[in-house]
Amino acid sequence: MPYYRRVGDVPAKRHLRIRRPDHAGYLFEELMGEEGFSSDSSLLYHRHSPSALLAAEAIPDPTAGTFEADVPLVPRHLRTAKLPAGGDTVLGRTRLLGNDDVLVSWTAADTAGDLYRNATGDELVYLHQGGARLETSFGAMDVGAGDYVAIPAGTTHRWVPKSGGMRALVLELRGHLRFPARYLSETGQLKEGAPFSERDLRAPHEPLLLEGEKVAVLVRTRSGLTRHLQRSHPFDVVGWDGCLYPFALSIHDFEPLVGAIHQPPPVHQTFAGPNLVVCSFVPRPYDFHPDAIKVPYHHANVDSDEVIFYAGGDFMSRAESGIGPGSISVHPAGFVHGPQPGSMERAAGAERTEELAVMLDTFRPLGLSAAARQVSDDDYPWTWAGGRA
Ligand SMILES: [Fe+2]
């Protein structure tokens, strides 16, 4: 999806025989490509065959579970602070919401796990607190609070949390992450007027070369988890080039658009995915018409479920609802939602908002996991009315 990038030693011509620099045979070229050979791809040059498996076993998936419909239908406030903490970023994640297009999880990881490859689709991780080093076959990068980290399907990687751990919202897409088409030129460049540019994208800039034998790699498929034992370490790529690779985009580099009157969420859109969009709400001046209503008008998203992760700042529209940093609201289709009582008046004199939030809109209904129900605030659905009947 992002622009062409080249890292390490890459031959002048592709698909030709290339000797290893130490003359111990040839490099192994791997094409990692979307939609077969017909979309974005990268070419990676391995020291060893990436296909050399020694063993394979199905392993239990500690994140497995079902998602039940939200019946009776109510808006939800999920409190991530009450979710389990610890473990690694993959097996330790807690699934909250899901449908056939996306799984939404929370992780509060403090340890590095096995190497991992998600074969079901791209992952988008929003780092809320802490930091990590993301090691991949494309190289490593340091990521921290406020970073969106995009990991293409099939990327072998490992999260190594920094001391103090990392807290993050994880989206597992059943397909590929894209930038909104309207931000892109016909040939794929981010246009003037888009809320971020190629300069804001960070990606590995040097190879990550590790030695090792009999290295375990967890592979997620739609059937569950398999542990492959690879003969040599997958981080043996001396160079790669192409347009498909993991990258980070800080939410703080998202340039907000504001207007005289309230702008609808599409101006905050950051990513598109299969039957979903992701938007970033960032600190910005408020609407500047003298009579502007500075909090969102009531709205019925008749075609989507709306999930907002509240990352920081004040949330004027949700004041006195119990929502604060670390909260997730789920406002499903069928529920007309709007600002909490009194917010319009409270916001009237304010000149800017410091809110920081990530929104996921899904075009098909989301189910809730048992863990999500356990951390759901029972009082939230009735906060607009001042209490339950
Ligand atoms: Fe909304």
Side-chain angles (χ1 to χ4, degrees), residues 30-372:
E30 172 200 358
L31 180 125
M32 183 173 139
E34 295 178 349
E35 298 174 24
F37 296 81
S38 306
S39 186
D40 292 352
S41 65
S42 284
L43 285 166
L44 299 91
Y45 294 88
H46 294 267
R47 285 176 170 165
H48 309 285
S49 167
S51 309
L53 294 183
L54 295 171
E57 62 170 334
I59 63 166
D61 181 0
T63 69
T66 55
F67 299 98
E68 304 291 339
D70 196 10
V71 178
L73 184 77
V74 287
R76 297 273 180 179
H77 167 200
L78 311 181
R79 297 165 292 190
T80 60
K82 293 183 179 292
L83 290 167
D88 71 72
T89 308
V90 173
L91 298 185
R93 63 183 61 162
T94 305
R95 301 220 191 277
L96 299 173
L97 304 160
N99 62 18
D100 287 341
D101 301 314
V102 62
L103 303 176
V104 181
S105 303
W106 177 254
T107 177
D110 55 12
T111 52
D114 281 329
L115 299 184
Y116 173 62
R117 183 187 304 141
N118 189 336
T120 68
D122 296 354
E123 294 198 1
L124 179 67
V125 176
Y126 175 75
L127 234 97
H128 173 47
Q129 290 173 333
R133 176 178 159 89
L134 178 68
E135 298 178 345
T136 80
S137 47
F138 293 83
M141 51 180 176
D142 291 315
V143 292
D147 278 338
Y148 288 106
V149 185
I151 305 174
T155 302
T156 306
H157 66 279
R158 182 170 80 127
W159 287 92
V160 184
K162 303 245 157 140
S163 122
M166 58 178 277
R167 291 173 184 274
L169 187 73
V170 181
L171 307 183
E172 291 170 59
L173 279 52
R174 294 291 175 90
H176 297 305
L177 188 73
R178 298 283 186 246
F179 293 136
R182 66 182 184 280
Y183 294 170
L184 302 173
S185 73
E186 258 183 49
T187 51
Q189 184 180 3
L190 284 159
K191 295 190 289 194
E192 285 293 314
F196 49 88
S197 80
E198 284 86 355
R199 292 186 196 178
D200 298 317
L201 307 178
R202 290 142 45 214
H205 55 83
E206 61 184 5
L208 174 62
L209 293 166
L210 297 180
E211 294 293 335
E213 295 179 345
K214 298 183 179 175
V215 178
V217 179
L218 300 184
V219 182
R220 176 174 297 289
T221 67
R222 295 193 184 199
S223 308
L225 285 172
T226 293
R227 179 185 281 123
H228 280 168
L229 195 62
Q230 296 205 194
R231 190 178 61 193
S232 51
H233 205 296
F235 295 167
D236 66 345
V237 174
V238 300
W240 60 269
D241 75 337
C243 293
L244 185 63
Y245 49 84
F247 68 91
L249 168 66
S250 172
I251 196 170
H252 303 298
D253 283 327
F254 187 93
E255 299 146 15
L257 294 169
V258 297
I261 58 172
H262 190 75
Q263 298 297 295
V267 303
H268 307 285
Q269 191 179 353
T270 313
F271 299 104
N275 291 317
L276 61 87
V277 298
V278 175
C279 299
S280 305
F281 295 89
V282 301
R284 60 194 184 279
Y286 261 137
D287 322 317
F288 49 87
H289 187 286
D291 291 324
I293 298 173
K294 296 174 179 174
V295 290
Y297 30 78
H298 285 80
H299 50 284
N301 301 346
V302 297
D303 291 319
S304 56
D305 282 5
E306 178 190 293
V307 179
I308 297 184
F309 173 68
Y310 300 84
D314 299 324
F315 306 102
M316 193 72 84
S317 62
R318 298 269 87 84
E320 296 179 24
S321 67
I323 280 181
S327 294
I328 295 173
S329 65
V330 186
H331 294 161
F335 169 68
V336 180
H337 65 270
Q340 306 299 136
S343 353
M344 183 177 77
E345 295 79 358
R346 277 192 294 273
E351 295 198 340
R352 55 180 288 116
T353 172
E354 299 303 323
E355 71 180 12
L356 190 69
V358 173
M359 183 175 84
L360 165 71
D361 268 18
T362 65
F363 305 152
R364 293 198 279 186
L366 290 163
L368 278 97
S369 70

